[in-house]
Amino acid sequence: MKYLLLDRRLLLFLLIVNFFGTIYGYIWYEPQLEITSTVFIPFVPDSPTASLFFVIVLVGFLIGRHFSYMEALAMVTLFKYGVWAVIMNILTYFNGQEVGIMSLMLIVSHGAMAIQALLFAPFYKIEWRHLIVAAIWTLHNDIIDYVYGQMPMYSTLTEYEQHIGYFTFWLSILSITLVYLLCIKRTQTPNLT
């Protein structure tokens, strides 16, 4: 499995899929970006920015380089926003919204984001300094979303924004902790074999 994930054909396929997914993600956010203050724009399109980080990581893998800050940002945000979007889309269903093709596509694509984050964890070269930057970016983004009211627009969930903000903060902590456990602690644990 380890060698399959680093196969150039698979990496190129994932690069293409994530590249076009990133473009589609920014298009999906267009209505919200049109009404967003310029200062908040870098922090509003959460999922496409996460997949953009991963696109850069994949380019690095293809050219034989590690972009460790991008790896940390990609892993934290891919997992976080992948899980977040799956849960939010399921919650919209329980809150009365019909599950259509778009909802299913968002659930599948964001679930794949979270899975990609975990699958590639063994290959990242992340150190504390990289994780600290990713943690600051991610927690700062939570503040922008829930203190300054820039969270992604899900009209059926607006009344639950405080609860979603609380959940999102702890999902950020979980995502940061996962990167520590899977990438940093793993490399610091002595090998006894």
Side-chain angles (χ1 to χ4, degrees):
M1 175 75 157
K2 187 174 182 178
Y3 299 106
L4 173 66
L5 289 172
L6 292 180
D7 182 278
R8 291 187 66 79
R9 290 166 296 187
L10 178 63
L11 291 173
L12 192 55
F13 171 75
L14 290 175
L15 176 64
I16 292 166
V17 169
N18 280 278
F19 176 78
F20 285 108
T22 299
I23 291 171
Y24 175 78
Y26 284 117
I27 292 169
W28 188 88
Y29 270 96
E30 215 170 275
Q32 185 169 353
L33 291 172
E34 288 173 357
I35 59 170
T36 299
S37 298
T38 306
V39 70
F40 295 129
I41 286 177
F43 304 101
V44 169
D46 300 323
S47 295
T49 302
S51 62
L52 177 62
F53 294 148
F54 192 56
V55 163
I56 295 167
V57 168
L58 290 170
V59 168
F61 285 172
L62 284 165
I63 64 172
R65 296 199 48 209
H66 284 276
F67 302 121
S68 296
Y69 286 105
M70 289 294 119
E71 290 173 2
L73 284 162
M75 185 166 176
V76 171
T77 60
L78 279 177
F79 182 81
K80 174 189 173 182
Y81 295 118
V83 170
W84 187 93
V86 168
I87 291 172
M88 291 308 123
N89 280 283
I90 291 170
L91 287 177
T92 62
Y93 167 73
F94 286 114
N95 209 36
Q97 185 170 319
E98 208 172 293
V99 176
I101 297 292
M102 180 63 70
S103 295
L104 291 174
M105 186 273 296
L106 288 171
I107 289 169
V108 169
S109 63
H110 285 80
M113 285 171 56
I115 291 167
Q116 284 180 132
L118 298 175
L119 283 177
F120 283 90
F123 308 111
Y124 297 143
K125 302 285 186 203
I126 299 172
E127 298 174 4
W128 270 112
R129 67 181 185 269
H130 310 126
L131 181 55
I132 289 168
V133 168
I136 291 168
W137 170 274
T138 304
L139 295 170
H140 175 72
N141 203 345
D142 289 347
I143 292 167
I144 297 298
D145 283 355
Y146 299 100
V147 173
Y148 291 97
Q150 302 298 314
M151 82 172 254
M153 290 187 211
Y154 283 86
S155 57
T156 59
L157 299 177
T158 305
E159 64 185 289
Y160 306 107
E161 189 172 326
Q162 287 181 328
H163 303 296
I164 293 170
Y166 180 77
F167 163 75
T168 303
F169 168 77
W170 285 109
L171 182 57
S172 294
I173 298 300
L174 172 64
S175 302
I176 293 162
T177 303
L178 273 175
V179 175
Y180 167 72
L181 293 173
L182 296 176
C183 299
I184 295 176
K185 186 174 183 201
R186 167 185 56 87
T187 60
Q188 293 176 346
T189 304
N191 188 350
L192 300 177
T193 57

